Amino acid sequence: MSFLTPDQPAQIEEPAAEIASGARLVPRITIQAFCEHSQTAQLVESAMHDRRMSKVALTTHNGGIDGAVETYKSNPTPNLIIVETTLSPAEIPSALGRLAEVCDASTRVIVLGHVNDVLLYRELIRSGISEYVVLPATSAEIVTSITDLYAAEGAAPIGRTIGFISAKGGAGSSTIAHNVAWAIATGLRQDCLIVDMDLPFGTAGLNFNQDPPHGLADAVLANQKVDQTMLDRLMSKAANHINLLTAPATLDHTWDFEEREFEQVIETCQKSVPVIVLDIPHCWNSWTRQTLASIDDVVIVAEPDLANLRNAKNMADTIKAMRPTDNTPKLVINKLGLPRRPEIGAGEFASSVECELVGQIGFDAQLFGTAANNGQMIAEVAANNKSNEVFSAIGMRVTGRQSAHTAAKSGSLLKLPSLFKKRA
């Protein structure tokens, strides 16, 4: 099936709101680039830092078109060749003709040129060149040229994937993730899948009062065998527009995973659901790093104290380094106003962490405790509570419906100790 569509309700429902789709990853291909200038080689190599290129194997060479021709006279061609040329528009077609003679028919070619000529572009496209990029260009333009080649014409959109993770255990990222998913499903009427990645201690089933017999563990243990049919069988319906891949929450064995263990499951989800909310546990290992590096948006949930600030700062800096060309992490401050606890102001906290503050949620033990014990969302327990507005605002932000802005209240910010400055 395409995007999950629940059974039609009795009354006519308003159409779903448009949201930003997720980034399409380039499949596992080999790329060889032949550059005439070192700056161009650096440009192509920098494009590999984009998370969309995480599966790509790239090698760069000197020599431009002539270097490529000499190489492929005695070597097989890769999936994609990128060649830089400084030739005049009149000379480029014949040079590429020599390259075509030594290339496999299935090999695609992107030309990086220094001449902005529409007639040349049209001629190259007619002759079978996949794309012509005018230099100077950005790494994002190179990546977009490549991703456009490998997105089938008329292909369905890719679901947007948002990960929630706590800066410190108990900060409440699971509660925030589940309530934001509820806000997206009810407010934007978009199908939303919650994936509880905390296999030994996950709470998605409890928070939605569900106890399905199957869930994420079955999908992961199936490894490469997981497909859309299997995913449909493993998901449980929690509410209109909301489905769950729950954690087994058992300790009969340890849950140790390889770096890309969840990759196939997430990619399958992206093909069928417009919004995927990942409830990522507070841990740090190879698969959490890989997951945080590969998704569309990361939301760090923290309490306003020093330990959370240190951890949030470390997380934010690491995530920014892992995904230099992508969205920076967003920040939610939870449990504000805890009685008798000294707190760091939300604006001061966000300024020190250097993240966009997208939400502040006050401490309300009665409300959140009642919702948790009843297996309900906050909107079900108290529809008019202000927290619901915060959840909706976060949902709007992470789905691309709301432009970037700072949710923190304006005011003078104090400098924090040098402990939280970036290390040289």
Side-chain angles (χ1 to χ4, degrees), residues 193-214:
L193 173 63
I194 299 172
V195 181
D196 191 344
M197 305 182 81
D198 189 352
L199 270 67
F201 303 110
T203 58
L206 290 174
N207 285 351
F208 284 92
N209 198 24
Q210 299 282 318
D211 187 20
H214 303 289

Side-chain angles (χ1 to χ4, degrees), residues 361-379:
I361 300 169
F363 176 75
D364 190 334
Q366 178 68 34
L367 173 61
F368 282 80
T370 299
N373 288 339
N374 292 346
Q376 293 178 300
M377 296 295 100
I378 300 300

Side-chain angles (χ1 to χ4, degrees), residues 378-407:
I378 300 300
E380 295 179 287
V381 177
N384 296 324
N385 189 273
K386 290 185 178 180
S387 296
N388 296 311
E389 298 177 9
V390 180
F391 297 138
S392 296
I394 298 170
M396 293 282 281
R397 183 71 187 92
V398 297
T399 54
R401 292 278 299 174
Q402 185 172 299
S403 60
H405 74 285
T406 301

Side-chain angles (χ1 to χ4, degrees), residues 53 78 94 97 169 179 193 235 259 286 303 318 368:
M53 307 290 285
S94 59
N179 280 278
L193 173 63
M235 288 190 301
E259 182 179 40
S286 60
E303 294 185 46
T318 302
F368 282 80

Side-chain angles (χ1 to χ4, degrees), residues 212-225:
H214 303 289
L216 180 61
D218 301 88
V220 174
L221 295 176
N223 204 358
Q224 300 300 317
K225 296 179 182 179

Side-chain angles (χ1 to χ4, degrees), residues 165 197 255-259 262 280-292 322:
I165 186 168
M197 305 182 81
W255 302 98
D256 302 316
F257 300 109
E258 299 296 328
E259 182 179 40
F262 290 93
I280 304 173
H282 175 71
C283 60
W284 198 253
N285 46 43
S286 60
W287 72 262
T288 52
R289 281 179 58 96
Q290 173 60 28
T291 301
L292 292 169
M322 291 191 299

Side-chain angles (χ1 to χ4, degrees), residues 261-272:
E261 198 89 39
F262 290 93
E263 189 175 78
Q264 181 63 37
V265 176
I266 293 174
E267 288 184 0
T268 304
C269 294
Q270 288 176 314
K271 295 175 183 177
S272 60

